[in-house]
Amino acid sequence: MHPFLTALMGGALIGLSASLLLLFNGRIAGISGIAGGLLAHRTRAELSWRITFLLGLVGGGFLVRALWPQALGAPTVPGAAWVVAAGLLVGIGTKLGNGCTSGHGVCGISRGATRSIVATLTFMATGAVTVFLVRHVLGGAP
Amino acid sequence: MSSLLTAGVAGLLFALGLGLGGMTEPARVQAFLDVAGAWDPTLAFVMGGALAVHAPLSWLIRRRRAPVLAPAFPVISQTRVDKRLLSGAALFGAGWGLAGYCPGPALTSLASESGLVVLFVSSMFGGMWLLGWWERSRAAAPEPGGGLTPP
């Protein structure tokens, strides 16, 4: 199958997942918000659904690994310090900007939210600039 | 109980979508962001597929009075584009480009049992915690000058 078609189907599954979570649980499928909520909330009602969603996500990872062994790629960064820096940026940035690729890029844009359209354009732009700097200016690995 | 089941199923489907779509391959993510190099547009189709399904479905779902297993739909309180949103999205994009992981694919990739993925996910939670701690301590800190109001 053409990779564009597979990507389209993968995206459709993500859209279906977000729709199920909204229909049954009344929650937004923003992964950074769901994960970050583990640190911000103390009540059982807020924690339990987040934990089962994230268990489903990691469990789904094992299913992905079984179905398509090459789908879980390895990090391309040259070393651990880069991974820590990138992780910190993603954690701080998604909390500060209230969302990531899923919360803004899928759920927010689906709602037609200007905030999410602006956020998505912004993180795609700085992502592209970062890759440009690392690959074409510094000549690094990513 | 059933709301936990639906949350778990949604998480599982989400991971399958990410894996099938190629979002869990950092090299592909970086090739998507590499507009000046050998640009790989594949991931635009992941977003297109997700929007094509979720935009009409979420519109239909929100016409209901309430979710099936919860009392109400979430109220979106923030609508303004502000400095906080822009700086947050900018920092997130930089980290995304650097490692090729955004939060969902990173958590899904824990299944690869790679030490670097565990390190990324820990740092991500660390960053969220750090920002929360910094904002809490700033909110609790006294005003410059000791917080004394002049007589």
PDB file of all heavy atoms in Angstrom, chain A residues 116-126:
ATOM      1  N   SER A 116      -5.504  27.035  18.448  1.00  0.00           N
ATOM      2  CA  SER A 116      -4.866  25.776  18.059  1.00  0.00           C
ATOM      3  C   SER A 116      -4.231  25.865  16.673  1.00  0.00           C
ATOM      4  O   SER A 116      -3.187  25.263  16.428  1.00  0.00           O
ATOM      5  CB  SER A 116      -5.894  24.649  18.094  1.00  0.00           C
ATOM      6  OG  SER A 116      -6.317  24.437  19.415  1.00  0.00           O
ATOM      7  N   ILE A 117      -4.870  26.609  15.772  1.00  0.00           N
ATOM      8  CA  ILE A 117      -4.296  26.776  14.434  1.00  0.00           C
ATOM      9  C   ILE A 117      -2.975  27.536  14.554  1.00  0.00           C
ATOM     10  O   ILE A 117      -1.952  27.134  13.986  1.00  0.00           O
ATOM     11  CB  ILE A 117      -5.294  27.523  13.507  1.00  0.00           C
ATOM     12  CG1 ILE A 117      -6.554  26.671  13.314  1.00  0.00           C
ATOM     13  CG2 ILE A 117      -4.649  27.844  12.164  1.00  0.00           C
ATOM     14  CD1 ILE A 117      -7.718  27.399  12.669  1.00  0.00           C
ATOM     15  N   VAL A 118      -2.982  28.605  15.367  1.00  0.00           N
ATOM     16  CA  VAL A 118      -1.763  29.395  15.570  1.00  0.00           C
ATOM     17  C   VAL A 118      -0.688  28.550  16.248  1.00  0.00           C
ATOM     18  O   VAL A 118       0.484  28.564  15.840  1.00  0.00           O
ATOM     19  CB  VAL A 118      -2.080  30.672  16.405  1.00  0.00           C
ATOM     20  CG1 VAL A 118      -0.801  31.391  16.799  1.00  0.00           C
ATOM     21  CG2 VAL A 118      -2.993  31.597  15.627  1.00  0.00           C
ATOM     22  N   ALA A 119      -1.069  27.783  17.277  1.00  0.00           N
ATOM     23  CA  ALA A 119      -0.098  26.946  17.989  1.00  0.00           C
ATOM     24  C   ALA A 119       0.516  25.918  17.044  1.00  0.00           C
ATOM     25  O   ALA A 119       1.734  25.709  17.034  1.00  0.00           O
ATOM     26  CB  ALA A 119      -0.775  26.251  19.178  1.00  0.00           C
ATOM     27  N   THR A 120      -0.324  25.265  16.220  1.00  0.00           N
ATOM     28  CA  THR A 120       0.166  24.231  15.310  1.00  0.00           C
ATOM     29  C   THR A 120       1.147  24.822  14.289  1.00  0.00           C
ATOM     30  O   THR A 120       2.217  24.253  14.036  1.00  0.00           O
ATOM     31  CB  THR A 120      -1.013  23.540  14.596  1.00  0.00           C
ATOM     32  OG1 THR A 120      -1.912  23.044  15.589  1.00  0.00           O
ATOM     33  CG2 THR A 120      -0.542  22.397  13.717  1.00  0.00           C
ATOM     34  N   LEU A 121       0.791  25.977  13.724  1.00  0.00           N
ATOM     35  CA  LEU A 121       1.700  26.622  12.766  1.00  0.00           C
ATOM     36  C   LEU A 121       3.015  26.983  13.451  1.00  0.00           C
ATOM     37  O   LEU A 121       4.096  26.835  12.867  1.00  0.00           O
ATOM     38  CB  LEU A 121       1.041  27.872  12.162  1.00  0.00           C
ATOM     39  CG  LEU A 121      -0.140  27.605  11.234  1.00  0.00           C
ATOM     40  CD1 LEU A 121      -0.797  28.917  10.810  1.00  0.00           C
ATOM     41  CD2 LEU A 121       0.310  26.813   9.998  1.00  0.00           C
ATOM     42  N   THR A 122       2.917  27.418  14.722  1.00  0.00           N
ATOM     43  CA  THR A 122       4.112  27.820  15.459  1.00  0.00           C
ATOM     44  C   THR A 122       5.029  26.635  15.735  1.00  0.00           C
ATOM     45  O   THR A 122       6.234  26.695  15.473  1.00  0.00           O
ATOM     46  CB  THR A 122       3.718  28.512  16.789  1.00  0.00           C
ATOM     47  OG1 THR A 122       2.824  29.576  16.500  1.00  0.00           O
ATOM     48  CG2 THR A 122       4.948  29.047  17.518  1.00  0.00           C
ATOM     49  N   PHE A 123       4.459  25.514  16.263  1.00  0.00           N
ATOM     50  CA  PHE A 123       5.379  24.411  16.582  1.00  0.00           C
ATOM     51  C   PHE A 123       5.909  23.714  15.329  1.00  0.00           C
ATOM     52  O   PHE A 123       7.022  23.190  15.335  1.00  0.00           O
ATOM     53  CB  PHE A 123       4.838  23.450  17.662  1.00  0.00           C
ATOM     54  CG  PHE A 123       3.589  22.652  17.363  1.00  0.00           C
ATOM     55  CD1 PHE A 123       3.565  21.686  16.383  1.00  0.00           C
ATOM     56  CD2 PHE A 123       2.451  22.826  18.149  1.00  0.00           C
ATOM     57  CE1 PHE A 123       2.432  20.913  16.163  1.00  0.00           C
ATOM     58  CE2 PHE A 123       1.300  22.066  17.933  1.00  0.00           C
ATOM     59  CZ  PHE A 123       1.299  21.108  16.935  1.00  0.00           C
ATOM     60  N   MET A 124       5.141  23.754  14.249  1.00  0.00           N
ATOM     61  CA  MET A 124       5.678  23.190  12.999  1.00  0.00           C
ATOM     62  C   MET A 124       6.819  24.066  12.485  1.00  0.00           C
ATOM     63  O   MET A 124       7.829  23.555  11.988  1.00  0.00           O
ATOM     64  CB  MET A 124       4.584  23.083  11.957  1.00  0.00           C
ATOM     65  CG  MET A 124       3.644  21.930  12.262  1.00  0.00           C
ATOM     66  SD  MET A 124       2.692  21.438  10.838  1.00  0.00           S
ATOM     67  CE  MET A 124       1.956  19.929  11.458  1.00  0.00           C
ATOM     68  N   ALA A 125       6.649  25.391  12.638  1.00  0.00           N
ATOM     69  CA  ALA A 125       7.684  26.311  12.160  1.00  0.00           C
ATOM     70  C   ALA A 125       8.968  26.151  12.971  1.00  0.00           C
ATOM     71  O   ALA A 125      10.059  26.012  12.404  1.00  0.00           O
ATOM     72  CB  ALA A 125       7.178  27.752  12.236  1.00  0.00           C
ATOM     73  N   THR A 126       8.862  26.150  14.322  1.00  0.00           N
ATOM     74  CA  THR A 126      10.098  26.033  15.114  1.00  0.00           C
ATOM     75  C   THR A 126      10.691  24.623  14.989  1.00  0.00           C
ATOM     76  O   THR A 126      11.903  24.459  15.072  1.00  0.00           O
ATOM     77  CB  THR A 126       9.881  26.383  16.606  1.00  0.00           C
ATOM     78  OG1 THR A 126       8.882  25.528  17.150  1.00  0.00           O
ATOM     79  CG2 THR A 126       9.460  27.838  16.765  1.00  0.00           C
TER      80      THR A 126
END
